[in-house]
Amino acid sequence: MKEQTQTLHSIPVDALTGSISVPIYQTSTFVQEAPGIHKGFDYSRSNNPTRKALEDCIAQLENGSNGYAFASGLAAIDAVVKLLETGDEIIAVDDIYGGAFRLFTHVYQKFGITIKYVDSTNSANIANAISAATKLIWIESPTNPTLKVSDIAAIAQIAKAYNILLCVDNTFASPAAQKPINLGADIVVHSATKYISGHSDLIAGLVVTATQQLGDKIKFIQNASGAILAPFDSWLVIRGIETLSLRIRQHSENAQKIAEYLLEEKLVKNVYYPGLPSHHNHEIAKKQQKYFGGVIAFDLAIDDKELASAIVSGTKLFKLAESLGGVKSLCCLPCEMTHKSIPAEKRYSSGVTDSLIRLSVGLEDADDLIEDLKQAFATALQQKNAVENTVVTAN
């Protein structure tokens, strides 16, 4: 079946009533016929029919064995890290989501898990960083926020050669554009807050495993730790999945137009978008992604935090907010928002400058979004020039 058909029919019709919409089983517990004898559900932390429908759906969309839904993307990441033990090592992509960096560095390092950050756009860097303690390779592709692309299949071969787990954060691409398990990944994680739900109305995380054995371990951690997704939020994610393929296609079409415009904007220095031939790993992105996604990052010819702040504060259609992947366009300044917890030196080494701006391109008309950016650039530059002229006059 084609992608959209598969997506829609991965969501089941309710067997009990015939409801075309998955019912919301808003219950904490389930009546048992006798002690330990029940219909597969005993307590909603352990299992819930609405959450299970979502978990089965995401496993099917990612071509995995098992899926698990968590209360946030970070809760999903946390469950994967709990597969490790004291003394183990993670090799992680250098341009990593700030929340994952905070969790790895400030929480799990205290428990004796070490982390090496490397540029995974060159697979050899991963191979060269492996030690006897390495148990997990963690990559995002594309990354947040500079849209770096890694060769998932090549890194999977390296991981398998050393018997190391490979986890891919597939949030930016979504299963509508990329299926890491098909490329050899062992685990896929999502912040379902983003494209999978798609409407900026919930917080959720997902984990998909390639095998039942690995899935059983994640299931144990999910039940033992308890950071599960509630029934209503599970239903909202399912609703979002119904239009995932259509939304990703339009997000990508809009983003491509805006990225091409930004290349011509004099105030812009670098544009980071996998759909541009100038992108470092454009050919790899073409090979492993069906669509290039709706996130663009760019920095300014003048690396000025105040100027960048004025631009993101001056847009009218792009709303200044954290998060991404919703139907309405958002913009943010990572150095002061999503990546503020990462030291400046590390930010710069991975390309996250003070003037880097991240756009989450929504489903508005692309021409309207381009006009919005043009006016924001012009207004911010006028303000900067006015301030500089005032200073010169005063002196």
Side-chain angles (χ1 to χ4, degrees), residues 32-355:
Q32 302 189 18
E33 298 172 18
I37 306 299
H38 50 73
K39 296 178 176 64
F41 303 93
D42 56 0
Y43 189 60
S44 273
R45 185 194 69 245
S46 301
N47 217 348
N48 177 279
T50 313
R51 191 175 83 232
K52 187 176 187 304
L54 168 60
E55 292 173 336
D56 291 345
C57 177
I58 191 62
Q60 184 173 336
L61 292 184
E62 285 285 9
N63 290 339
S65 172
N66 299 80
Y68 303 96
F70 293 84
S72 68
L74 273 170
I77 294 170
D78 181 69
V80 175
V81 182
K82 283 175 178 169
L83 293 169
L84 305 181
E85 299 177 357
T86 299
D88 289 347
E89 177 183 80
I90 302 170
I91 294 176
V93 58
D94 59 348
D95 179 26
I96 195 169
Y97 164 54
F101 174 84
R102 184 172 57 239
L103 180 67
F104 289 178
T105 303
H106 299 297
V107 177
Y108 279 101
Q109 276 192 344
K110 293 191 303 182
F111 299 117
I113 293 173
T114 57
I115 299 94
K116 290 179 183 174
Y117 295 98
V118 303
D119 180 1
S120 62
T121 59
N122 182 346
S123 304
N125 293 337
I126 297 282
N128 293 336
I130 289 172
S131 72
T134 306
K135 295 296 186 291
L136 177 65
I137 296 171
W138 187 280
I139 62 172
E140 303 169 14
S141 189
T143 62
N144 180 13
T146 61
L147 286 300
K148 291 180 179 178
V149 170
S150 299
D151 190 331
I152 297 172
I155 295 171
Q157 287 184 337
I158 294 168
K160 283 178 170 52
Y162 288 91
N163 196 29
I164 297 168
L165 291 174
L166 171 61
C167 181
V168 178
D169 186 329
N170 200 29
T171 297
F172 271 35
S174 89
Q178 177 175 271
K179 299 185 188 297
I181 288 175
N182 287 4
L183 299 170
D186 300 291
I187 305 170
V188 174
V189 299
H190 288 279
S191 171
T193 309
K194 313 302 193 298
Y195 286 108
I196 289 180
S197 64
H199 292 78
S200 304
D201 55 7
L202 62 92
I203 303 291
L206 299 168
V207 176
V208 180
T209 61
T211 67
Q212 179 71 51
Q213 182 181 19
L214 199 51
D216 290 343
K217 293 179 181 180
I218 295 293
K219 176 63 178 178
F220 177 85
I221 292 167
Q222 182 194 49
N223 187 48
S225 298
I228 48 90
L229 191 62
F232 181 65
D233 288 343
S234 297
W235 181 84
L236 284 174
V237 178
I238 293 169
R239 186 190 62 170
I241 285 174
E242 291 178 339
T243 58
L244 176 63
S245 297
L246 300 175
R247 288 185 287 104
I248 290 294
R249 183 172 65 193
Q250 191 61 51
H251 283 300
S252 300
E253 182 179 315
N254 284 356
Q256 185 74 34
K257 290 180 181 178
I258 292 169
E260 290 171 359
Y261 148 69
L262 289 169
L263 287 176
E264 307 301 321
E265 172 59 55
K266 293 180 180 179
L267 200 55
V268 172
K269 180 180 181 181
N270 299 300
V271 182
Y272 304 102
Y273 184 66
L276 295 174
S278 57
H279 186 279
H280 172 63
N281 274 348
H282 174 65
E283 292 302 318
I284 293 173
K286 281 174 62 177
K287 180 178 68 174
Q288 65 189 24
Q289 292 181 225
K290 183 177 180 181
Y291 304 109
F292 295 118
V295 179
I296 304 168
F298 63 92
D299 55 18
L300 304 179
I302 308 167
D303 187 27
D304 185 334
K305 185 187 298 185
E306 276 64 43
L307 178 59
S309 181
I311 290 170
V312 297
S313 301
T315 55
K316 294 179 172 60
L317 298 180
F318 284 93
K319 303 302 183 184
L320 179 59
E322 296 193 9
S323 198
L324 54 101
V327 296
K328 292 183 179 180
S329 294
L330 303 177
C331 63
C332 81
L333 189 63
C335 72
E336 286 294 328
M337 297 169 73
T338 57
H339 288 63
K340 191 170 184 177
S341 64
I342 298 179
E345 182 179 346
K346 174 167 175 47
R347 276 198 296 103
Y348 265 84
S349 69
S350 59
V352 186
T353 63
D354 281 350
S355 67

